[in-house]
Amino acid sequence: MLVHALIREDGTVGADELYTVANILGMSDQQVRLCVKRLVAEGRFTHEGRGRKAKLHATADTTRALAPNADFLRHAFQQDAGLAPWDGVWHLAAFAVPESARTARDALRETLVHLGGAPLQGGLYVCANTWEPYVEEAAHRLGAHGTLTLLTTTDLRRGGTQEPAELARRLWPLQEIADRYHRLSRIAQPRLDRLTGPASLSSSALLTIAVELATELTRAIEPDPLLPPQLLPQPWPGTQARGLIARCWAALHERDHGEAGPVLFRLYADVTREAAARATH
């Protein structure tokens, strides 16, 4: 997450900046070297130069993977603002990938869960949001599109359960998701206090705070199916946590020294500014 968070607009990560922020966060140089070695071996980055003068170059797939995170965060803020009410439609995806393509099958399962799906039974997943474009893109990429069936329904029952909020409670681990947002709030509040306080903060300190916030936000939002508010217990801790994050990003933007920031921060800052603009109208 640290390396991904430091990808700049030109797709590079400077080793000096990487080691500096890692050290502030309590990571050793050896940890960073091993992480970089693994990322290069996995084909996510290429490596140029040596030591702290080195530079990492993100591959196209790595850079492109950051965009869906911004899409999901944007949708979450729309839900928080009451701009994305649930239409009562459940979105289902079914597939039957043969055993000979087990790797693609497992990857498709992981993708469906990452996109907010919950398994109903073998090879059948349900989501409360419109996910078809993301599912089809993944299926095409994995060579499994021919086995994919997509459908929608407003009449979903599991056993004797039909009430939507109760179905959501049974299908998704809501308490675990809520606990991650409680953690995010605990991390965000003291950083917001620092960002809005009178003390000056160096560029490396601001970057470190941004990495901490991005890491915790990712930890909370990636496993979150972003269920519509109508399906969640209220008040929902995700709404409060995202509100704190929006204020943190706004404060970071105000303290920006005019330097070109990492892509992820720009994406998140753009999303939170959009959310703030909608809230004032």
Side-chain angles (χ1 to χ4, degrees), residues 88-259:
V89 175
W90 298 100
H91 299 258
L92 293 97
F95 62 92
V97 180
E99 178 66 19
S100 58
R102 180 189 301 178
T103 300
R105 183 185 63 195
D106 293 345
L108 186 55
R109 285 174 179 163
E110 292 175 4
T111 299
L112 292 175
V113 172
H114 176 71
L115 292 174
L120 288 170
Q121 58 190 58
L124 179 62
Y125 289 73
V126 62
C127 181
N129 296 307
T130 302
W131 66 345
E132 286 80 3
Y134 299 103
V135 173
E136 289 200 279
E137 187 278 329
H140 275 298
R141 176 166 39 83
L142 296 169
H145 190 260
T147 74
L148 181 68
T149 299
L150 299 171
L151 62 150
T152 59
T153 183
T154 56
D155 180 19
L156 179 65
R157 284 171 283 181
R158 193 179 197 195
T161 304
Q162 185 175 16
E163 199 277 319
E166 179 61 20
L167 277 172
R169 189 183 69 81
R170 291 172 178 264
L171 289 170
W172 285 276
L174 297 186
Q175 187 56 57
E176 292 180 21
I177 296 166
D179 288 344
R180 291 189 184 95
Y181 280 115
H182 285 306
R183 174 187 167 91
L184 176 58
S185 291
R186 291 194 300 270
I187 295 293
Q189 185 61 63
R191 278 128 185 105
L192 177 61
D193 294 341
R194 288 183 66 195
L195 290 168
T196 55
S200 62
L201 294 170
S202 66
S203 295
S204 60
L206 291 173
L207 190 56
T208 301
I209 291 173
V211 168
E212 291 172 325
L213 293 173
T215 300
E216 291 302 328
L217 177 59
T218 300
R219 191 199 307 271
I221 203 167
E222 279 198 345
D224 184 358
L226 299 181
L227 296 173
Q230 294 88 339
L231 302 181
L232 293 169
Q234 298 297 329
W236 180 241
T239 304
Q240 177 191 11
R242 288 188 290 264
L244 280 173
I245 283 290
R247 293 168 63 192
C248 286
W249 285 120
L252 277 166
H253 181 65
E254 289 180 5
R255 285 182 176 257
D256 181 36
H257 295 167
E259 300 175 0

Side-chain angles (χ1 to χ4, degrees), residues 4 59-70 72 114 222 264 267:
H4 283 187
T59 63
D61 286 345
T62 298
T63 304
R64 186 167 53 247
L66 299 176
N69 291 333
F72 301 151
H114 176 71
E222 279 198 345
L264 190 62
L267 290 173

